[in-house]
Amino acid sequence: MQIQETLSRLDTLLHQCKLDEAEVCLTQAIAQAQAEQDMESEKLLRNEQIGFYRDCGKFPQALGTAAKARALFENAGDTHSISYATTLLNCANAYRAAGKYQDAFAAFETVQQLSMVFNKVGNSVCQYAGFAAARACKHEQRSFGSLNSFKLFFV
């Protein structure tokens, strides 16, 4: 699969506000990745699809895609990678946007735990996760004291 070409085409469609065509492009590209058993491309495309559906306000589709994306990583035993943390962060933002604040917070916490392993690269992922988790806490009316574990990354 020519993933860069697919992503370039998707970017072009999105910049032209051709959302229906972009959705078809993503769906077809995912089907092609599956047919070719190209799991890495499918992971990347599912991640893009989560954000696409979230940004379009199609929350049921975003949540369904998030479940499929997580399953790809989990079934492959690839849950300790930066790619997984990035996808999980995208899932968490979809959960938050869909009003699934408990799920969002749990995902943000997992990203934070994973990022401790990733040193400098992970810390930037974790900083974003901390800010996003704070937004989820606001909606959940949780105490920001529950974010103490995130504070060490903001110093």
Side-chain angles (χ1 to χ4, degrees):
M1 167 166 240
Q2 298 292 331
I3 193 66
Q4 292 306 321
E5 286 178 23
T6 301
L7 293 175
S8 178
R9 177 166 156 58
L10 179 62
D11 283 344
T12 298
L13 292 170
L14 292 173
H15 281 102
Q16 295 172 348
C17 296
K18 295 181 178 179
L19 300 181
D20 291 338
E21 289 179 46
E23 183 174 13
V24 170
C25 176
L26 271 170
T27 303
Q28 289 175 346
I30 289 169
Q32 180 183 350
Q34 289 173 325
E36 295 175 6
Q37 297 181 341
D38 184 351
M39 189 180 297
E40 293 308 309
S41 291
E42 185 180 355
K43 288 175 184 177
L44 191 139
L45 292 165
R46 292 270 183 207
N47 197 33
E48 292 293 323
Q49 194 176 42
I50 295 166
F52 173 80
Y53 284 138
R54 180 194 65 231
D55 291 347
C56 290
K58 295 182 176 184
F59 301 126
Q61 293 93 328
L63 298 175
T65 302
K68 290 175 185 174
R70 290 181 73 166
L72 281 171
F73 282 92
E74 292 162 3
N75 293 338
D78 186 19
T79 57
H80 290 86
S81 65
I82 291 174
S83 292
Y84 179 68
T86 302
T87 296
L88 192 56
L89 188 57
N90 205 14
C91 291
N93 281 313
Y95 301 149
R96 181 186 44 77
K100 303 282 187 183
Y101 303 118
Q102 292 292 333
D103 293 338
F105 193 77
F108 290 133
E109 286 183 321
T110 302
V111 171
Q112 188 268 334
Q113 292 166 2
L114 287 170
S115 68
M116 287 188 211
V117 177
F118 303 143
N119 294 329
K120 191 172 185 175
V121 173
N123 285 345
S124 65
V125 171
C126 184
Q127 285 179 343
Y128 180 79
F131 290 123
R135 290 174 58 194
C137 285
K138 258 189 187 175
H139 290 286
E140 268 298 294
Q141 314 246 321
R142 281 183 144 177
S143 162
F144 285 102
S146 65
L147 290 176
N148 283 337
S149 59
F150 289 111
K151 287 182 183 176
L152 72 119
F153 292 99
F154 300 126
V155 177

